[in-house]
Amino acid sequence: MKIGILGTGEVGQNLARGFLGLGHEVMIGSREAGGEKLDKALAAAGSGARGGTFAEAAAFGEMVALCCLGAVIESVLKLAGAENLAGKILIDATNPLDFSKGFPPRLLDLPDGSAGQLTQRLAPRARVVKAFNTAGSHIYVKPSYAGGPPDMFICGDDDDAKAGVGEVIKGFGWGVVDIGGIDAAHYLESMCMVWVLHGARAGGWGHAFKMLH
Amino acid sequence: MKIGILGTGEVGQNLARGFLGLGHEVMIGSREAGGEKLDKALAAAGSGARGGTFAEAAAFGEMVALCCLGAVIESVLKLAGAENLAGKILIDATNPLDFSKGFPPRLLDLPDGSAGQLTQRLAPRARVVKAFNTAGSHIYVKPSYAGGPPDMFICGDDDDAKAGVGEVIKGFGWGVVDIGGIDAAHYLESMCMVWVLHGARAGGWGHAFKMLH
């Protein structure tokens, strides 16, 4: 499948690496078609990834992942173009974090209620699935724990889209916990804060949530 | 140790049962000193539990646990009496859930930011520790999973109080994940919603969070 990645940071790099490892074609989109940020992201993602603008990556992908900072969701989606996302699965991996008072960050109070809902509103014909936001991106691909595979928590309004993203998540080596519609996204964005605050106290970033059954 | 339990529902019953099992003395407090609710709670908690008013249970306990519905925190703490809680560890096991639109509930937007912060404001000299709110109370005591012990997530402003509650949690058979001050309580109350929404979708209530390391 063709995958568009919107964002050149670590989240985008690690998602690109994971998708390439599963045999998909990947284009990483950036604000500008060239430049240092994109070159660095392409190098980190591994061989085979191509680069482009946000609009080019959105148009390229049959499945697209939004991996930008929470503060710039609106401008990135505007540049990507809602028409380029129509009908497609759009993974929202963002967290609306406010670093203005330093580290650890706080969760921004968004008018839409969450970054997930903001994303769905700005890309109304995309099938948004909140995912990959409750774990550090360096453990996205084939994480290994004595306690077994960790779980990725997801939500979204389209069950088929969630099933598609669930297959990707399982391919990355995780279990899937579906908590419902995109209106539940705030709860997953809060879980990101639990992950961050525990890391800040424990002084390590290798941890991941699991739901025991 | 003497433990005061503020609330006769399942959370209070199961906490009382757990504390009794660890050899503590327990008094369950209710709005009225007698009555059917209290009798039922005492029977469920197991032999040895005594009953009283909220004020009596707050005064009795060297450690006190707030186990009421989120909607009545203010009235319960008023009846318990802030002076009866001064200097004591106060476990806040509540969740500010709104069931007015049916099940599953939604998380209430509280002016204080969270039930934990509301509790700390109303009992300013108590040492509030948010705990026991991210899991169903029927699995509080000695839960058993193939993946090992689950984790209880806590926060609060007093490190000694958190250490004390941590010992209790370990005694109940759980691991402990500390995420910081009481201003992080909203994130744990959101985790309750993740627990609830997953249960609502999966049709089961035996699940529990674990943090893999």
Side-chain angles (χ1 to χ4, degrees):
Chain A
M1 193 165 39
K2 290 178 173 174
I3 309 293
I5 303 281
L6 307 179
T8 55
E10 289 182 12
V11 172
Q13 293 168 20
N14 284 302
L15 274 181
R17 186 165 62 86
F19 277 111
L20 287 167
L22 292 176
H24 299 295
E25 291 180 69
V26 172
M27 182 186 290
I28 300 179
S30 179
R31 211 164 280 267
E32 293 157 27
E36 201 178 324
K37 273 189 183 176
L38 184 55
D39 288 346
K40 190 181 161 193
L42 292 170
S47 76
R50 63 192 88 179
T53 61
F54 286 136
E56 287 166 348
F60 174 83
E62 297 165 277
M63 183 185 287
V64 180
L66 181 64
C67 315
C68 60
L69 292 176
V72 297
I73 290 170
E74 196 146 2
S75 74
V76 170
L77 285 176
K78 192 172 177 187
L79 288 167
E83 70 284 3
N84 287 326
L85 299 167
K88 298 179 180 176
I89 293 175
L90 178 59
I91 296 172
D92 169 26
T94 69
N95 280 302
L97 302 182
D98 173 11
F99 289 91
S100 67
K101 289 177 186 162
F103 190 86
R106 302 178 70 92
L107 204 60
L108 282 169
D109 234 342
L110 296 180
D112 292 273
S114 64
Q117 288 159 292
L118 171 65
T119 298
Q120 184 65 79
R121 177 170 65 78
L122 296 172
R125 293 174 58 207
R127 300 182 288 151
V128 175
V129 179
K130 186 96 209 173
F132 292 103
N133 81 302
T134 56
S137 66
H138 60 291
I139 52 169
Y140 280 174
V141 185
K142 307 290 179 193
S144 174
Y145 294 96
D151 286 315
M152 194 64 81
F153 294 74
I154 71 171
C155 67
D157 290 340
D158 186 306
D159 283 340
D160 287 343
K162 285 193 286 191
V165 175
E167 286 308 307
V168 170
I169 291 169
K170 288 175 202 161
F172 277 47
W174 294 66
V176 180
V177 175
D178 177 3
I179 68 159
I182 198 66
D183 61 354
H186 172 72
Y187 306 134
L188 299 189
E189 293 163 17
S190 291
M191 272 186 83
C192 162
M193 284 302 305
V194 175
W195 188 87
V196 167
L197 292 173
H198 173 61
R201 283 190 76 84
W205 302 99
H207 52 292
F209 293 106
K210 185 177 183 68
M211 192 69 100
L212 301 176
H213 285 93
Chain B
M1 192 165 40
K2 290 178 174 176
I3 309 293
I5 303 281
L6 307 178
T8 55
E10 288 181 14
V11 172
Q13 293 168 21
N14 283 302
L15 274 182
R17 187 166 61 86
F19 277 111
L20 287 168
L22 293 176
H24 298 295
E25 292 180 68
V26 171
M27 183 186 289
I28 300 179
S30 180
R31 210 164 281 269
E32 293 155 28
E36 200 178 324
K37 275 188 181 176
L38 185 55
D39 288 345
K40 191 180 161 193
L42 292 170
S47 77
R50 63 192 88 181
T53 62
F54 286 136
E56 286 166 347
F60 174 82
E62 296 165 277
M63 184 185 287
V64 180
L66 181 64
C67 314
C68 61
L69 292 175
V72 296
I73 291 170
E74 196 147 0
S75 73
V76 170
L77 285 176
K78 193 172 176 185
L79 288 168
E83 70 283 3
N84 287 326
L85 300 167
K88 298 178 180 178
I89 294 175
L90 177 59
I91 296 172
D92 168 28
T94 68
N95 280 303
L97 302 182
D98 174 12
F99 288 91
S100 67
K101 289 175 184 162
F103 190 86
R106 301 179 71 93
L107 202 61
L108 282 169
D109 234 342
L110 296 181
D112 292 274
S114 64
Q117 288 159 292
L118 171 65
T119 298
Q120 184 65 80
R121 178 171 63 78
L122 296 172
R125 295 173 59 207
R127 300 183 289 152
V128 175
V129 179
K130 186 98 208 171
F132 291 103
N133 81 301
T134 56
S137 66
H138 61 292
I139 52 169
Y140 280 174
V141 185
K142 307 289 179 193
S144 175
Y145 293 96
D151 286 314
M152 193 64 79
F153 294 74
I154 70 171
C155 67
D157 290 339
D158 186 306
D159 283 340
D160 288 342
K162 285 193 286 192
V165 175
E167 286 307 306
V168 170
I169 290 168
K170 289 174 201 161
F172 277 47
W174 294 66
V176 180
V177 175
D178 177 3
I179 69 159
I182 199 67
D183 60 354
H186 172 73
Y187 307 134
L188 299 189
E189 293 164 16
S190 291
M191 271 187 84
C192 162
M193 284 303 306
V194 174
W195 188 87
V196 167
L197 292 174
H198 172 61
R201 282 189 78 85
W205 301 99
H207 51 294
F209 292 106
K210 186 177 184 66
M211 192 69 100
L212 300 176
H213 284 94

